[in-house]
Amino acid sequence: MTTTLNVNGKATPVEASPDTPLLWVLRDELGLTGTKYGCGIAQCGACTVLADGQPIRSCSTPIAALAAAKITTVESLGGNHPLQVAWVKNDVPQCGYCQSGQLMSATALLATKPKPTDAEIDAAMSGNICRCGTYQRIHAAIKEASGQPAAKPVAAKA
């Protein structure tokens, strides 16, 4: 069955069953492999993309639910987005597997809250797991991309 999806600003016809998860259409049909398969049960956030500006888990969202949505993937950031620049500057990527999902959640956050508080960053990013544990670097990169100074680490007491 042909379904037309709006992906990264383009109307894109795809041949897939309406119950096919968006992740597989992005990767297998459209060649947009930046979005990763993590857990397959919408718990880790590696597959996060935006639908109408809101983070969704593409591994569990069928394309039938997205026929009218504007879908945005990590490829739309282009490589020089302020978040991507801050990501590199703050040495966020380790293995890199979760990064596209992390970036998309951060993109949605900054679109709604250009100067997020620490609590807002924590809440927005809480659904994205980083197996390498770079949470402090992710937080600092979001702060930097928003034009705010990152919190200084608290020194251990001797």
Side-chain angles (χ1 to χ4, degrees), residues 1-7 10-22 25-26 29-30 61-69 71:
M1 173 173 207
T2 301
T3 303
T4 299
L5 298 174
N6 181 333
V7 180
K10 290 191 231 174
T12 307
V14 295
E15 290 293 328
S17 173
D19 62 348
T20 303
L22 176 62
V25 170
L26 293 173
E29 299 293 323
L30 303 180
T61 304
I63 61 171
L66 300 166
I71 301 162

Side-chain angles (χ1 to χ4, degrees):
M1 173 173 207
T2 301
T3 303
T4 299
L5 298 174
N6 181 333
V7 180
N8 297 333
K10 290 191 231 174
T12 307
V14 295
E15 290 293 328
S17 173
D19 62 348
T20 303
L22 176 62
L23 174 66
W24 302 118
V25 170
L26 293 173
R27 292 182 61 79
D28 297 342
E29 299 293 323
L30 303 180
L32 298 173
T33 58
T35 304
K36 304 298 183 206
Y37 174 81
C39 65
I41 57 172
Q43 297 298 304
C44 74
C47 69
T48 302
V49 298
L50 305 183
D52 295 327
Q54 297 301 307
I56 64 164
R57 302 301 192 249
S58 66
C59 72
S60 63
T61 304
I63 61 171
L66 300 166
K70 292 180 181 173
I71 301 162
T72 308
T73 70
V74 71
E75 286 87 356
S76 72
L77 300 181
N80 288 317
H81 187 280
L83 277 166
Q84 290 172 305
V85 171
W87 238 244
V88 171
K89 185 175 176 189
N90 285 275
D91 294 322
V92 173
Q94 297 299 299
C95 81
Y97 203 81
C98 71
Q99 297 310 298
S100 61
Q102 299 277 2
L103 282 162
M104 295 314 293
S105 290
T107 297
L109 169 64
L110 293 183
T112 58
K113 303 208 180 275
K115 302 281 187 199
T117 65
D118 291 336
E120 289 168 335
I121 293 171
D122 291 343
M125 302 306 292
S126 67
N128 292 80
I129 296 172
C130 174
R131 289 170 180 90
C132 298
T134 65
Y135 298 110
Q136 291 177 328
R137 293 176 186 180
I138 291 167
H139 193 99
I142 294 169
K143 283 290 221 184
E144 182 170 320
S146 72
Q148 300 180 82
K152 295 193 179 191
V154 178
K157 295 181 181 181

